[in-house]
Every structure is written in structure tokens, then in C-alpha cells.
Amino acid sequence: MSYELHAVIAGGEMLRGASRGMAATRPASIGQGLALIPMTDALSDSFAAAAAADDDADGVGIPGFWRLTEGCGKTLADWSAAGPVAYVEAEYFGGVGEQQAAVWDGGALVLGPLHAQEGRAFPPAGSPISQALRRLGVVAGAGEDEFSAVGLDRHRDGRAWIA
């Protein structure tokens, strides 16, 4: 089985307000008041268009991430003036894979970029995505991590969040 997620995650109201007017954005509610927007090709194009209008950001990828570009990071930093925003990536097949995460708050990168490479155990602080979710205020219950606490395990393909 495979699992794939590339998404922006933040407080639901904040994310809906920040993404209003952007093509291909439809926030999906997840647990604990958060929402996510899958990083589709159309959203990536929207971030690239925003970056083209900004001399300080471009479409160059940020090392360690599959789809996060400098332009996307600049937009997420701008959005974070209204509250913390995370960008997360996970790709697994047969239980083997990688995770990446970063969090912006108050216009600055405050966590990460965090990377969990294939074949390596998560650090004591947890997976990159769980650490990012914790920074967004997620509280895990007994026997779960932040990833499952907000229901990110509900869909195995990130595009299913917008179906």
C-alpha cells in the first residue's frame, strides 16, 4: 500500500481567508480546528504566479522537499502573519518512505525544514509531520500521535481530501 500527502495545513478559518481568490484551493477540514489544502499542480502554479510578481522569491525548490518552492515558502510566510502555517510532505510505499515538514509563524520560518529519510527511525520528538502539527497546537491522545489525532490517516492519497 502507498500513502502520499503534499499539503498546506493551518487553522481552518485562517486558511480559508488566506487562500480566498487563489485558483485551485479548497480547504478540507481535518481535526482540532485545522484544515488542509492539497498541493495540486494548479495550486503550485498559483504559488509560482505569486512568486513571479515578487522579486525576492522564485520557483526554485527548497532542498529536501519534492514540491515546496521558494515562492511557495514566501507565500506561506506571508499567510503566517495571521497564524501558524505548515507545509507537509509524505510519500510511503510498503511502509518505506520519507516525510518533510516546515512551519511558518509571524512571517518567519519557526520549525524546520525537518526531514525523515527512508530507512531512518523518527527522532524522540516524533515524525516531521507530527512535530509540525504539534507546533500548530494539535494535542495527541493516549496511544496516538498528532498525525492520527487530526485524521491524516483517513486518506492514502492527498487528492482524496478534495474529492
Side-chain angles (χ1 to χ4, degrees):
M1 290 197 92
S2 65
Y3 180 90
E4 182 178 327
L5 178 67
H6 303 255
V8 176
I9 301 176
E13 289 302 314
M14 191 281 286
L15 193 57
R16 280 184 278 285
S19 66
R20 188 167 286 122
M22 287 189 78
T25 59
R26 204 167 93 199
S29 293
I30 58 176
Q32 300 192 25
L34 298 177
L36 69 75
I37 300 174
M39 181 60 83
T40 61
D41 290 340
L43 180 58
S44 184
D45 290 346
S46 291
F47 283 133
D54 183 349
D55 293 336
D56 295 334
D58 58 29
V60 175
I62 295 176
F65 287 90
W66 293 295
R67 301 193 72 178
L68 181 64
T69 65
E70 289 179 6
C72 175
K74 171 73 169 95
T75 300
L76 298 180
D78 291 345
W79 288 3
S80 76
V85 178
Y87 178 77
V88 302
E89 296 181 337
E91 288 192 11
Y92 286 88
F93 184 79
V96 178
E98 298 181 17
Q99 279 189 28
Q100 289 75 234
V103 178
W104 292 261
D105 196 4
L109 184 66
V110 295
L111 181 68
L114 303 174
H115 306 282
Q117 300 300 322
E118 186 173 322
R120 295 195 182 164
F122 293 142
S127 73
I129 293 175
S130 285
Q131 290 181 59
L133 292 170
R134 194 174 313 123
R135 185 72 189 225
L136 296 180
V138 172
V139 177
E144 67 181 356
D145 61 5
E146 292 79 6
F147 186 93
S148 59
V150 295
L152 288 180
D153 53 353
R154 279 184 275 170
H155 300 292
R156 300 201 68 71
D157 184 329
R159 293 170 294 203
W161 289 100
I162 56 175

